[in-house]
C-alpha cells in the first residue's frame, strides 16, 4: 500500500524581518543602538493594548561569557530591567533583560569559560515564539514552506533561515519559555511584534501576524544557536 506523503507544496517562506511595535520609536531606536541590534530589527509606532507576557523573546547567541556580560551591561545602562542575572547553567552562561519598550531579550553562550576579551559580535539572533502547541504550530509553519532544522518533541522546534535573514525562527512552549525568561506566562492583548514574510501575509495559530516584507541586511553568521 502506498504511503501518504506530507511534503508541502506551499511556496518556501522564511523570516525576513522582525518589527517591534513600540510607543516611542525614537527612544526605542536609541536603546537598540546602544544594545547593538538596531540594524537587525525594525520599529513601528503603536499604542496597541498589551499586558503581561507578550509571548515571545529575542535571543542573542554570542561566543563567550564576557561578551554576554558586555551586551547585558549595555542594555542595563540604556534602561533595561534585569529579569535573570547572568549565570552559569547546564547548557552554558546567559541572562535575560527587558527593554524599556517591554521586549524581552536573552543573551547567552554555550561556552562557560572565557577564551578572550568581550566583543560586540553576535553569532546568531533567534526569535523565540511562545506557542500553546509546539507540534501543531510546527506543522503549520511547515505548511507555509518552512524547513525544520531541529525539533525536540512538543517542547521546541527551530527552522532553517534564509541566507539574507537576520534572525532565525524557533518555537517554544509558551509556559516553558516564560519560565526560562523568569516571567509569569499570563498576558493579554497585542503581541506587539510583526514578522516579515518572504511570501504573503498570514497569521499563525497563536495570533502572531506576518506581513510581506523585504529582508534586513546584513545577515548574521550561521553559527548554531543554543536557546
Amino acid at each position: 500500500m502506498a504511503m501518504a506523503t506530507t511534503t508541502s507544496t506551499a511556496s518556501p517562506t522564511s523570516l525576513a524581518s522582525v518589527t517591534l511595535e513600540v510607543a516611542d520609536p525614537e527612544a526605542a531606536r536609541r536603546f537598540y543602538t546602544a544594545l547593538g541590534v538596531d540594524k537587525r530589527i525594525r520599529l513601528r509606532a503603536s499604542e496597541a493594548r498589551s499586558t503581561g507576557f507578550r509571548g515571545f523573546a529575542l535571543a542573542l547567541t554570542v561566543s563567550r561569557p564576557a561578551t554576554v556580560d558586555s551586551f547585558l551591561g549595555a542594555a542595563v545602562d540604556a534602561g533595561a530591567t534585569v529579569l535573570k542575572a547572568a549565570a552559569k547553567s547546564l547548557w552554558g552562561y546567559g541572562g535575560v533583560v527587558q527593554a524599556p519598550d517591554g521586549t524581552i531579550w536573552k543573551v547567552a553562550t554555550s561556552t562557560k569559560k572565557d577564551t578572550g576579551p568581550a566583543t560586540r559580535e553576535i553569532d546568531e539572533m533567534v526569535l523565540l515564539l511562545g506557542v500553546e502547541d509546539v507540534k501543531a504550530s510546527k506543522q503549520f509553519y511547515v505548511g507555509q514552506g518552512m524547513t525544520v532544522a531541529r525539533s525536540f518533541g512538543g517542547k521546541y522546534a527551530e527552522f532553517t533561515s534564509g541566507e539574507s535573514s537576520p534572525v532565525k525562527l524557533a518555537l517554544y512552549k509558551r509556559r516553558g519559555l516564560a519560565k526560562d525568561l523568569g516571567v509569569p506566562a499570563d498576558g493579554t492583548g497585542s503581541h506587539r511584534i510583526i514578522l516579515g514574510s518572504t511570501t504573503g501575509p498570514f497569521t499563525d495559530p497563536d495570533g502572531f501576524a506576518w506581513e510581506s516584507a523585504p529582508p534586513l541586511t546584513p545577515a548574521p553568521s550561521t553559527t548554531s544557536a543554543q536557546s
Side-chain angles (χ1 to χ4, degrees):
M1 182 175 66
M3 297 294 290
T5 178
T6 57
T7 302
S8 172
T9 58
S11 299
T13 299
S14 64
L15 180 57
S17 65
V18 170
T19 299
L20 300 177
E21 296 187 325
V22 299
D24 188 338
E26 286 305 317
R29 188 170 291 108
R30 289 193 295 271
F31 174 83
Y32 290 118
T33 298
L35 183 59
V37 298
D38 53 305
K39 304 299 184 184
R40 294 171 179 258
I41 60 171
R42 293 185 171 117
L43 299 171
R44 181 180 298 171
S46 174
E47 295 289 347
R49 178 179 173 275
S50 182
T51 62
F53 183 40
R54 295 179 184 173
F56 76 92
L58 286 158
L60 304 179
T61 301
V62 299
S63 61
R64 56 183 70 105
T67 302
V68 171
D69 292 337
S70 176
F71 274 99
L72 293 176
V76 172
D77 289 344
T81 300
V82 176
L83 297 180
K84 273 192 172 182
K88 290 181 180 179
S89 67
L90 291 175
W91 49 262
Y93 180 85
V96 182
V97 295
Q98 187 167 31
D101 65 81
T103 303
I104 297 176
W105 291 81
K106 178 179 180 179
V107 187
T109 177
S110 59
T111 303
K112 296 182 181 182
K113 293 184 179 180
D114 283 315
T115 55
T119 72
R120 296 296 291 170
E121 295 180 3
I122 298 170
D123 293 337
E124 192 170 60
M125 182 167 150
V126 182
L127 171 61
L128 299 167
L129 295 186
V131 301
E132 291 300 327
D133 188 329
V134 171
K135 290 183 178 180
S137 291
K138 178 178 69 174
Q139 196 59 40
F140 171 84
Y141 280 110
V142 168
Q144 293 295 326
M146 292 189 176
T147 302
V148 177
R150 57 177 179 165
S151 178
F152 300 96
K155 295 182 178 180
Y156 181 83
E158 189 176 280
F159 298 91
T160 58
S161 55
E163 291 183 1
S164 61
S165 177
V167 59
K168 180 177 288 186
L169 176 67
L171 307 176
Y172 207 137
K173 197 165 183 63
R174 182 185 172 98
R175 291 196 173 277
L177 177 59
K179 182 179 180 181
D180 182 58
L181 300 173
V183 297
D186 296 333
T188 60
S190 173
H191 290 297
R192 287 288 192 101
I193 187 173
I194 302 295
L195 311 183
S197 166
T198 54
T199 56
F202 60 89
T203 301
D204 83 354
D206 291 270
F208 288 99
W210 291 66
E211 65 182 19
S212 297
L216 284 170
T217 56
S221 71
T222 56
T223 305
S224 177
Q226 175 68 41
S227 299

